[in-house]
Amino acid sequence: MIEKIAFNENSNKIWKYLSSSGYTSQGVAGLMGNLYAEDHGFKPNLLQGKDGNNGACEKYTQDVDRGTYSKQQFSTDKKGYGIAQWTFSTRKAGLYDFTVGNSPKYSISDINRQVAYLVKE
């Protein structure tokens, strides 16, 4: 059975960003279908295995943003994170550098930065 994707504010931001980046509507739809399969809601702060436990996701995000959970810890913990559930160490390190490690500094859960990183990848 095909599941209908429920659009929300985040999905609309993703659609607009990808469309403005030159992807066709079909390409955007395909990519968004894959993102939805990862986290069922386009949640930029979703931590693997913690769907429905927003407290754990928020704490993890805050710890990464504050630096109490280092880039090294974040990139090697093997926990999927964000809209694409980045897990592999070099990809998570890249996400970290693109957000928290950037100037100006962004939250690791910034939806716009995550989509920009996805396109950059």
Side-chain angles (χ1 to χ4, degrees):
M1 180 170 101
I2 297 175
E3 187 175 342
K4 183 177 179 180
I5 296 175
F7 282 87
N8 58 32
E9 183 180 344
N10 288 336
S11 60
N12 290 333
K13 287 179 181 180
I14 296 167
W15 186 276
K16 286 178 185 176
Y17 191 98
L18 294 174
S19 295
S20 70
S21 296
Y23 293 92
T24 65
S25 294
Q26 296 86 348
V28 173
L31 182 52
M32 289 188 68
N34 283 302
L35 293 175
Y36 185 79
E38 289 290 344
D39 78 6
H40 296 278
F42 310 104
K43 301 170 198 135
N45 72 334
L46 183 65
L47 177 61
Q48 182 179 9
K50 301 296 180 186
D51 194 15
N53 186 345
N54 289 338
C57 295
E58 287 298 322
K59 181 174 181 349
Y60 183 87
T61 298
Q62 290 169 358
D63 288 347
V64 172
D65 288 348
R66 289 183 189 129
T68 54
Y69 198 71
S70 71
K71 174 184 173 180
Q72 177 68 23
Q73 289 171 299
F74 175 74
S75 61
T76 60
D77 66 11
K78 299 181 182 177
K79 296 176 184 173
Y81 184 80
I83 60 171
Q85 288 294 281
W86 286 280
T87 306
F88 195 73
S89 62
T90 55
R91 295 180 75 205
K92 282 184 80 174
L95 175 63
Y96 184 97
D97 289 341
F98 201 73
T99 55
V100 178
N102 203 345
S103 182
K105 183 177 176 178
Y106 295 88
S107 171
I108 196 76
S109 69
D110 184 284
I111 185 75
N112 295 315
R113 293 302 288 180
Q114 285 192 15
V115 178
Y117 179 65
L118 184 68
V119 169
K120 179 183 176 291
E121 277 192 306

